Amino acid sequence: MTDLIDILFTTGLWSSALRIATPLIFATLGALLCERAGVLNLGIEGIMTFGAMIGWLAVFMGADLWTGVIVAALCGAAFGLLHSGLAVVLGLSQHVAGLGITLFASSLSYYIFRLAVPVQGTPPTVEPFQPWPVPFLSDLPLIGPTLFSQTPLTYLALVLALAMAYILNRTPIGLAIRITGENPHAAEAQGLNPIAIRIGAVVTGSALMAMGGAYLTLAAFNSFFPTMVQGRGWVCIALVVFAMWRPGRALLGAILFALFDAYQLRLQTNFGKAVPYQLFLMLPYVLSIVALVVMSRKAKVPRALMKPYRRGERG
């Protein structure tokens, strides 16, 4: 029991948790933005996979790392435009359109990857982002190595979480997004264009999802394989509910899930011979389900979520 508690106070655990949380932060913020505007984006898993592949491929072909991230974001935005065309403009089922995007983007990722990189025994690699220690702050005990010795994409994810919280709650554009997610007809009555707002939210949110995928290949790892997202997209959909559609809570939820994941990895190392490793793999998901059940009872869902909007109709 002492060993179980001691693990929780190690710098390595918390530093690892923040690294694991980074792609979840990007993707959860993207899903949250879509849903605050009233659009469920189940294309997240496929968009993350494509972002991971295309960002890595751009760097593999000679681009620098930041260009790879930008390419991933632009491709994610393109999938968001496709999804919004189906779900927002045409008013088709958001569930079906999103799942279609996931299947299409995932399959396209593997197809393009195999066209560019023939089958090899060992996947080719790129030089990933390296940690950027912040002078002086990285030398602080515990918090320094955890928070101030990360890669630049982790810093960007944290800044984006704070920025989105401010934008949604303190700016006119944030108010427009929230009104559209609650009652698009009321937004229309105020002279806003709910269709344009929803399209913009889905395109921007999808770009963030793809950046989460790009983190996996350009910072967490240095190569691409088709199954590397491993359900993180679906976890992010659950984290949005856990967060009650608030960016600050989304940040905490992503870190909490990542902490569970990092913890189970260390439990496998210390106790893997005595307990089947599958039980450790289950741990972060079981704990997340429990947290989700507890928090979802208090969640206030955007009232227009998954409801198609057609100009001129009565709300």
Side-chain angles (χ1 to χ4, degrees):
M1 180 60 71
T2 302
D3 291 339
L4 296 177
I5 297 175
D6 289 343
I7 293 174
L8 292 173
F9 295 96
T10 60
T11 300
L13 173 69
W14 289 94
S15 181
S16 177
L18 193 54
R19 290 194 298 270
I20 295 172
T22 300
L24 300 178
I25 295 170
F26 277 114
T28 302
L29 291 176
L32 185 149
L33 182 60
C34 294
E35 294 187 25
R36 286 304 293 262
V39 181
L40 178 67
N41 191 347
L42 295 183
I44 182 171
E45 185 82 3
I47 293 171
M48 289 185 71
T49 301
F50 196 88
M53 185 280 299
I54 202 68
W56 175 88
L57 186 60
V59 176
F60 181 70
M61 292 297 184
D64 62 77
L65 290 169
W66 283 112
T67 301
V69 174
I70 293 171
V71 168
L74 291 175
C75 290
F79 281 111
L81 189 62
L82 175 59
H83 180 57
S84 60
L86 296 172
V88 178
V89 178
L90 298 180
L92 303 180
S93 168
Q94 295 179 11
H95 295 89
V96 174
L99 292 174
I101 294 294
T102 281
L103 294 173
F104 174 57
S106 299
S107 301
L108 186 62
S109 300
Y110 187 66
Y111 177 71
I112 294 176
F113 177 69
R114 280 304 172 213
L115 283 180
V117 182
V119 178
Q120 299 180 12
T122 302
T125 61
V126 298
E127 184 65 29
F129 281 103
Q130 299 300 315
W132 282 5
V134 178
F136 305 112
L137 294 179
S138 61
D139 296 327
L140 295 173
L142 185 60
I143 193 174
T146 299
L147 189 58
F148 299 110
S149 296
Q150 299 289 341
T151 64
L153 285 181
T154 298
Y155 299 138
L156 178 60
L158 297 175
V159 170
L160 285 175
L162 298 176
M164 185 175 292
Y166 178 80
I167 290 170
L168 285 177
N169 296 304
R170 301 287 183 177
T171 66
I173 190 172
L175 178 61
I177 292 171
R178 289 187 286 118
I179 291 176
T180 300
E182 293 290 334
N183 189 337
H185 300 283
E188 182 185 23
Q190 295 297 317
L192 300 174
N193 186 339
I195 291 179
I197 292 172
R198 284 187 167 183
I199 291 174
V202 174
V203 169
T204 304
S206 298
L208 291 174
M209 296 172 189
M211 290 172 67
Y215 174 86
L216 295 174
T217 50
L218 300 182
F221 307 102
N222 58 2
S223 61
F224 171 79
F225 50 93
T227 59
M228 71 185 314
V229 175
Q230 293 183 328
R232 287 180 175 87
W234 309 123
V235 170
C236 293
I237 295 293
L239 286 176
V240 173
V241 180
F242 172 83
M244 300 181 186
W245 290 269
R246 298 177 183 176
R249 288 179 180 266
L251 174 61
L252 294 177
I255 293 175
L256 180 63
F257 177 87
L259 180 64
F260 293 156
D261 201 6
Y263 190 55
Q264 68 87 11
L265 290 173
R266 281 154 179 77
L267 291 180
Q268 282 193 55
T269 302
N270 292 347
F271 306 101
K273 294 181 179 179
V275 181
Y277 75 92
Q278 291 88 348
L279 293 178
F280 295 117
L281 293 176
M282 290 168 52
L283 180 63
Y285 297 95
V286 172
L287 295 177
S288 297
I289 289 172
V290 172
L292 180 63
V293 169
V294 172
M295 297 300 294
S296 63
R297 294 182 178 182
K298 304 177 183 179
K300 185 180 178 182
V301 182
R303 288 183 295 173
L305 180 62
M306 296 183 289
K307 295 180 181 179
Y309 164 78
R310 294 178 178 85
R311 191 183 303 276
E313 287 187 354
R314 286 283 184 178

